[in-house]
Amino acid sequence: MTRKALLFVLFFMLVAFRVPAYSASSVSAAGGKSFAQAWNSYSSGEKKSFLFGLATAVRIMCTDASTLQKDAKPQEIEQHFRNCFNSYVGVEPGRLIDAMNSLYADPKNAMIPIDGAYKISLMRLRGDKVDEVIVQSRKYGERIQQEIDQQRKAGK
């Protein structure tokens, strides 16, 4: 399986099988009725902080994953770490912020969760085809919107 296919499978699994990390309260608390409104309400510094926090989390995850290899040589552990880290990060933050801003400029993408928009933008910057990922992410966002609407109706 190619690296791109593995990334797509990983992303799909994260989107399709993740515990709903975003509820009506988390979108509202983030500054709007949609993830796009939340993202667009962040200042440039807050957007950079989000990316640096994400990079830190990826570094921790990749370090753990790399050191779990039994009988691996230090060079193999280092290479595994680099491959892992670069698959999730490795793009200049300004370019990534611009790509996420561009993705959220399309109103159809408003309910794609921020982590999904991040991964789509990263894939797009690397030249991967993202059309199908965007379609699936929009469907996921529609399900989130339905959940939010149900929560709001129940809260009235």
Side-chain angles (χ1 to χ4, degrees):
M1 210 177 249
T2 68
R3 183 177 167 159
K4 289 179 184 180
L6 286 173
L7 284 174
F8 179 77
V9 169
L10 175 65
F11 179 74
F12 181 75
M13 289 178 66
L14 287 172
V15 169
F17 299 110
R18 103 168 86 165
V19 175
Y22 301 103
S23 63
S25 60
S26 65
V27 172
S28 296
K33 296 180 182 178
S34 71
F35 296 103
Q37 288 174 328
W39 176 257
N40 291 326
S41 73
Y42 298 154
S43 70
S44 175
E46 289 169 324
K47 290 176 181 179
K48 285 181 184 176
S49 292
F50 168 80
L51 295 179
F52 291 135
L54 193 138
T56 300
V58 167
R59 186 176 53 83
I60 291 167
M61 178 193 70
C62 291
T63 298
D64 288 351
S66 299
T67 57
L68 291 176
Q69 300 173 7
K70 301 285 185 201
D71 302 322
K73 296 177 183 172
Q75 300 88 351
E76 293 169 340
I77 292 172
E78 178 66 23
Q79 188 60 46
H80 184 270
F81 172 81
R82 288 177 189 265
N83 292 342
C84 177
F85 186 81
N86 288 334
S87 70
Y88 290 98
V89 188
V91 173
E92 194 273 318
R95 289 183 57 221
L96 197 45
I97 289 169
D98 290 344
M100 289 179 70
N101 290 343
S102 176
L103 182 73
Y104 277 137
D106 184 342
K108 292 184 245 173
N109 298 331
M111 285 306 294
I112 295 176
I114 294 174
D115 59 328
Y118 167 83
K119 191 63 177 173
I120 291 167
S121 298
L122 184 63
M123 292 170 70
R124 183 177 275 163
L125 287 171
R126 291 185 172 156
D128 297 338
K129 295 185 183 206
V130 296
D131 294 340
E132 185 58 32
V133 177
I134 290 173
V135 169
Q136 293 303 316
S137 297
R138 286 175 179 166
K139 288 178 183 177
Y140 178 72
E142 289 170 10
R143 290 193 304 270
I144 292 173
Q145 184 64 58
Q146 291 169 353
E147 180 183 320
I148 290 170
D149 292 343
Q150 290 173 352
Q151 289 178 9
R152 286 187 178 142
K153 286 179 186 175
K156 287 184 179 181

